[in-house]
Amino acid sequence: MRFLVPYHLDEYLPELDAPVTPDEVITPELPDVDDPWARMAVLYDTVAEQVAASIRRAEHPAVVASGDCTTSLGVVAGLQRAGFDPAIVWFDAHGDVQTLETSTSGYLGGMPLRMLTGYGRHLIADRIGLRDIPEERAILVDGRDLDPPEAEFLRTARIRHRRVDDLGELPDGPLYLHLDCDVVDPGDLPGLLFPAPGGPSLETVAGAIRGIVDTGRVAAFGLACTWHNDRGAAAHLRPLVDSV
């Protein structure tokens, strides 16, 4: 089952260019409040229920495309609702392990991997029934562009930090496979919102993703379409997504 969640955080993006032909587009009515966490909780609760229903029908891997990485909170909650205990393989140029206390920009999209492993439960997790993923069951792949607090956290965290071409042994059990497309070198993928030079080629990333999918253990594949809509990035990614 393929889902499109056309949002960046709580902002609706009706024209989001995603490399999927969705079976369902998830657009719940969000509360008219100033708290983005409250709005995202409603969105991710809906994502969780739709993913769980798909998994219960044995329609997996569920493919979920959105405009950010925080949608992963709803996807993982959905896997858990369906009875799975997933580990995380997280491809990203960035760490996504900031907190409200460490982030200088305050960007909420820089926190989801940290939140999946237990940070700030009151913000989203407690509202949607998301259980913590133990740090040792998470792999950050690439993560070449880290802010100092993220680098410091990862030095002592049990999250494994690996290169795209050297993943090591994957965690056991079902997997949540996450791809923030900015993990690809910007020379290979046009129009990225947060480009980080010096990354792996699209071919290298695609090969690593397909290798993980070939294990048969990917329960859900989350795709963060972190790009400008008018630069053609989705067309570059579609062959990879179609192979999942």
Side-chain angles (χ1 to χ4, degrees):
M1 190 81 170
R2 296 182 175 229
F3 300 97
L4 176 61
V5 186
Y7 289 84
H8 176 260
L9 302 175
D10 63 337
E11 178 189 3
Y12 179 45
L13 302 176
E15 304 302 321
L16 178 64
D17 187 20
V20 299
T21 301
D23 300 296
E24 185 162 347
V25 180
I26 298 177
T27 55
E29 183 174 350
L30 304 186
D32 185 15
V33 295
D34 292 332
D35 179 7
W37 297 112
R39 289 168 55 81
M40 287 189 288
V42 171
L43 176 60
Y44 301 157
D45 185 62
T46 305
V47 170
E49 195 51 45
Q50 294 293 336
V51 168
S54 175
I55 297 299
R56 293 185 189 113
R57 294 191 299 266
E59 297 172 346
H60 50 78
V63 177
V64 183
S66 76
D68 60 54
C69 293
T70 56
T71 306
S72 61
L73 303 174
V75 179
V76 173
L79 293 177
Q80 292 174 339
R81 290 184 191 188
F84 284 18
D85 181 20
I88 300 170
V89 185
W90 189 278
F91 284 71
D92 203 314
H94 309 93
D96 286 2
V97 290
Q98 289 281 13
T99 69
L100 292 173
E101 295 76 24
T102 63
S103 175
T104 57
S105 68
Y107 177 53
L108 306 186
M111 306 176 190
L113 182 55
R114 188 74 169 265
M115 296 177 73
L116 284 166
T117 55
Y119 168 74
R121 290 199 50 84
H122 64 288
L123 300 172
I124 293 285
D126 288 344
R127 307 190 205 203
I128 65 173
L130 172 66
R131 301 189 301 276
D132 296 347
I133 304 296
E135 287 182 1
E136 62 270 19
R137 288 183 53 75
I139 301 177
L140 170 62
V141 184
D142 190 70
R144 63 186 179 272
D145 188 8
L146 301 174
D147 290 332
E150 294 183 297
E152 179 62 29
F153 168 73
L154 289 169
R155 271 194 285 271
T156 58
R158 289 169 292 173
I159 297 171
R160 283 179 275 168
H161 190 184
R162 307 292 297 192
R163 297 199 319 265
V164 171
D165 60 357
D166 183 22
L167 296 179
E169 185 177 354
L170 298 176
D172 59 6
L175 300 173
Y176 169 63
L177 175 58
H178 180 84
L179 175 62
D180 184 336
C181 296
D182 65 21
V183 72
V184 177
D185 188 87
D188 265 16
L189 198 61
L192 293 168
L193 292 173
F194 307 108
S201 68
L202 176 56
E203 181 181 5
T204 299
V205 172
I209 292 290
R210 291 188 179 112
I212 296 169
V213 171
D214 286 347
T215 67
R217 295 197 286 118
V218 175
F221 177 41
L223 182 68
C225 304
T226 51
W227 52 54
H228 297 280
N229 284 337
D230 57 353
R231 311 290 175 83
H236 286 69
L237 262 293
R238 186 173 284 274
L240 170 59
V241 178
D242 285 346
S243 70
V244 174

